[in-house]
Amino acid sequence: GSDDIGLVSWYEVNSWNKGEYHSDYGTHKVGTKVANELGIYDMSGNVYEWCWDWYGRNYYLDSKAYDPTGADSGSERVIRGGSWLCRDIICRVTDRFRSDPSGRQFDTGLRLVKATK
């Protein structure tokens, strides 16, 4: 999203490391940082983005190279982008982790998109 993660993202350095009594500790309202070069806010850090893709450990070893859609089935969903607790290297949409879709996490959310015509 940027050459300077602190401009576009809430992550460990500017959030978690501040300590629980600091005003920048924890999650933040969307849009309080600068948008990335595509004009999208909070694609990295703040909260992990819960994705529709099923998690497959070795999925990318055999998947198509362009626009992979994720495993056909599974028991866990993909989460991406890191959170306010994460180091800068994890706050990237290319890093993916897994999460139980029936569970709850205080650093995971989802992105709602309003379609416009």
Side-chain angles (χ1 to χ4, degrees):
S2 172
D3 289 334
D4 184 347
I5 189 171
L7 291 177
V8 297
S9 176
W10 292 105
Y11 70 115
E12 94 173 327
V13 169
N14 62 11
S15 190
W16 185 71
N17 286 351
K18 298 287 186 177
E20 65 182 300
Y21 298 108
H22 193 279
S23 61
D24 283 337
Y25 182 84
T27 59
H28 293 79
K29 184 177 177 180
V30 173
T32 57
K33 290 289 187 175
V34 176
N36 67 16
E37 44 294 309
L38 298 174
I40 303 171
Y41 292 91
D42 296 308
M43 287 301 292
S44 303
N46 203 17
V47 295
Y48 278 102
E49 183 175 350
W50 186 81
C51 301
W52 188 252
D53 302 6
W54 288 110
Y55 180 83
R57 181 172 185 206
N58 296 315
Y59 174 74
Y60 286 104
L61 294 176
D62 299 318
S63 69
K64 59 184 180 175
Y66 178 76
D67 197 20
T69 57
D72 292 331
S73 63
S75 60
E76 298 170 301
R77 297 287 187 176
V78 172
I79 57 173
R80 295 181 182 273
S83 78
W84 60 276
L85 294 162
C86 296
R87 295 186 344 246
D88 56 354
I89 197 161
I90 293 178
C91 292
R92 305 178 305 155
V93 295
T94 55
D95 272 0
R96 67 189 186 103
F97 298 95
R98 60 183 185 237
S99 181
D100 180 345
S102 65
R104 293 179 184 206
Q105 303 293 328
F106 60 88
D107 66 341
T108 303
L110 59 109
R111 181 172 296 273
L112 301 176
V113 179
K114 179 180 178 183
T116 59
K117 289 186 177 189

